Amino acid sequence: MRLRRIFAGVVLSVIPLVCAAGPGAAQENRPVSYNFLAGIPLELGNPGGSAPGSNDWACKPPDRHPNPVVLVHGTGGNRQDNWGTYAPLLANEGYCVFSLTYGAFDDLPWPISAVGGMKTIVQSAGQLRDFVDRVLAATGAHRVDLVGHSQGTLMPTYYVKHLGGGDKVDKYVSLAPLWNGTDAFGAAQLVEGARTLGAGALIDEGIGAVCQACPQMVTGSDFLNALQADGIYASKITYTNIMTRYDELVVPHTSGFLEAPNATNVVVQDECSSNYGEHAAIAAEPVAAAHVLNALDPDHPRPVPCVFVAPITGG
C-alpha cells in the first residue's frame, strides 16, 4: 500500500510537467500556456524583455535541431508578448529559440516602444536581416528556421528575396499567412476606390501615420504587387502555411494558401472541427502548435491533436 501511494504521488507530480511541455518529448519543463494572452503579463512584468526560453545567446544547437528558430511577431506584437506559448514550447523541445522586436518606434517611451510591426516592411526586413546574422554568428549555425505570425509571415519574404535571406533560411513556417494580402473590413475596396478618385496617397498617408506596414499588406497594394511579381517562394526554402478559416484579419483566409512543390498548406479546421481559433489564437493553440513542430522536425512527426480551441485566447 505504501509503495502504491509513493507511485501515485510520483505520477501526479509528473503529469503537470508533461502536459505543460506540449506535444512531443520535452528537453526541459518550462511552463507552456496555450493562451495567446499569456505573453501580456510577461511584457507587463518585464518591459522589453524576452519570453522564457528565448534569446539565450549562449545556446548551441544540438545535432537533432541544428537550425536555431527565429520567431517573427505580427503587427502590434513584440518579441515577448506574441510568443508566450512558442518560446518555452520550442525551447522545451531542444531548439535554440530567438525572437526580435521589429518595426517599433524605439525612440518613444514604453509601452509605445513595445508595439512592433509599425514601420515599413522594407525597414523591418532590414532589422530581421541583422538579427538573423547575429543569431548565426552566436550559434555557429549555417541557417535558421523562421516561425512567423501575421505580418511576421510576409515581412521575411522581402528579407529572403532582396536582402540575402534566401541562403540563410531553411524552413519557413507561417501562422495566418497573407501571401495575397488581406481585404479585412473591406480595406482592398477602400484603397481601390480611393485610387480611382485620385486619393490613394491620402489613404496611404492616413493609415501610414500610425502603421506604415498596414497599407502595404492590403490586397492589391503596390508593395504586394511588386513582391509577388517574380513569385513569393524561394527554391531553397521549405514552406509550411498554417491557416484558420475563422481568421478575421486575413480575409479571405485562403490568402495564405499558395501551392508549390516546396510548400505544405494546412487549414487547422480540416482535421479538427472543434477548433474555433482565429487570427490571434492560431499563434498559441495546440493544434497549430503540433503542425509547427512537425514542420520544423518532419523526420520525427507526432500526432496532431483535435481539441476544443477558443477564439482569441486559444486556450
Side-chain angles (χ1 to χ4, degrees):
M1 182 66 69
R2 178 180 175 84
L3 288 176
R4 287 183 181 178
R5 291 198 190 100
I6 293 173
F7 179 76
V10 170
V11 169
L12 289 174
S13 67
V14 169
I15 286 175
L17 298 178
V18 173
C19 294
Q27 302 294 316
E28 295 186 34
N29 287 304
R30 299 173 183 84
V32 176
S33 173
Y34 290 99
N35 188 324
F36 183 70
L37 303 181
I40 295 177
L42 298 176
E43 181 66 26
L44 294 176
N46 182 24
S50 297
S54 65
N55 293 339
D56 175 5
W57 295 97
C59 186
K60 299 300 178 184
D63 291 341
R64 177 167 173 171
H65 301 310
N67 296 337
V69 177
V70 175
L71 303 175
V72 192
H73 64 76
T75 306
N78 64 42
R79 66 175 173 244
Q80 183 163 221
D81 64 18
N82 208 137
W83 301 115
T85 298
Y86 274 89
L89 172 64
L90 293 175
N92 286 350
E93 292 284 334
Y95 292 94
C96 289
V97 184
F98 298 89
S99 182
L100 79 162
T101 298
Y102 66 86
F105 295 105
D106 299 324
D107 54 334
L108 297 177
W110 186 91
I112 300 174
S113 61
V115 181
M118 295 290 108
K119 295 184 179 180
T120 69
I121 288 177
V122 174
Q123 289 174 290
S124 296
Q127 292 180 303
L128 178 61
R129 173 198 59 202
D130 296 344
F131 189 80
V132 168
D133 286 347
R134 182 185 175 194
V135 169
L136 294 177
T139 61
H142 298 292
R143 301 171 79 181
V144 301
D145 294 335
L146 300 179
V147 176
H149 175 226
S150 191
Q151 185 187 153
T153 72
L154 184 66
M155 178 274 285
T157 300
Y158 191 92
Y159 159 63
V160 165
K161 294 181 65 175
H162 301 295
L163 299 180
D167 294 323
K168 298 177 182 179
V169 176
D170 184 13
K171 300 180 186 71
Y172 192 139
V173 185
S174 297
L175 294 160
L178 61 162
W179 305 124
N180 197 39
T182 180
D183 186 27
F185 313 111
Q189 288 89 343
L190 176 64
V191 170
E192 184 60 31
R195 285 178 177 162
T196 302
L197 297 173
L202 292 177
I203 292 290
D204 290 345
E205 291 174 7
I207 300 174
V210 177
C211 174
Q212 297 169 353
C214 290
Q216 295 182 308
M217 294 185 286
V218 173
T219 301
S221 71
D222 292 340
F223 176 83
L224 263 181
N225 289 339
L227 193 66
Q228 295 166 333
D230 56 351
I232 289 291
Y233 292 153
S235 60
K236 296 180 181 179
I237 297 175
T238 301
Y239 293 83
T240 302
N241 304 313
I242 303 172
M243 297 156 275
T244 169
R245 68 169 60 121
Y246 299 117
D247 202 318
E248 76 279 27
L249 295 182
V250 176
V251 179
H253 73 276
T254 50
S255 175
F257 193 102
L258 186 59
E259 292 184 327
N262 56 332
T264 300
N265 296 285
V266 176
V267 177
V268 291
Q269 287 82 16
D270 284 351
E271 298 176 357
C272 187
S273 60
S274 60
N275 188 330
Y276 297 97
E278 38 58 82
H279 190 79
I282 199 171
E285 50 94 348
V287 180
H291 284 293
V292 170
L293 293 175
N294 287 342
L296 293 174
D297 189 5
D299 293 334
H300 302 91
R302 75 279 314 285
V304 177
C306 181
V307 296
F308 172 76
V309 173
I312 302 177
T313 65

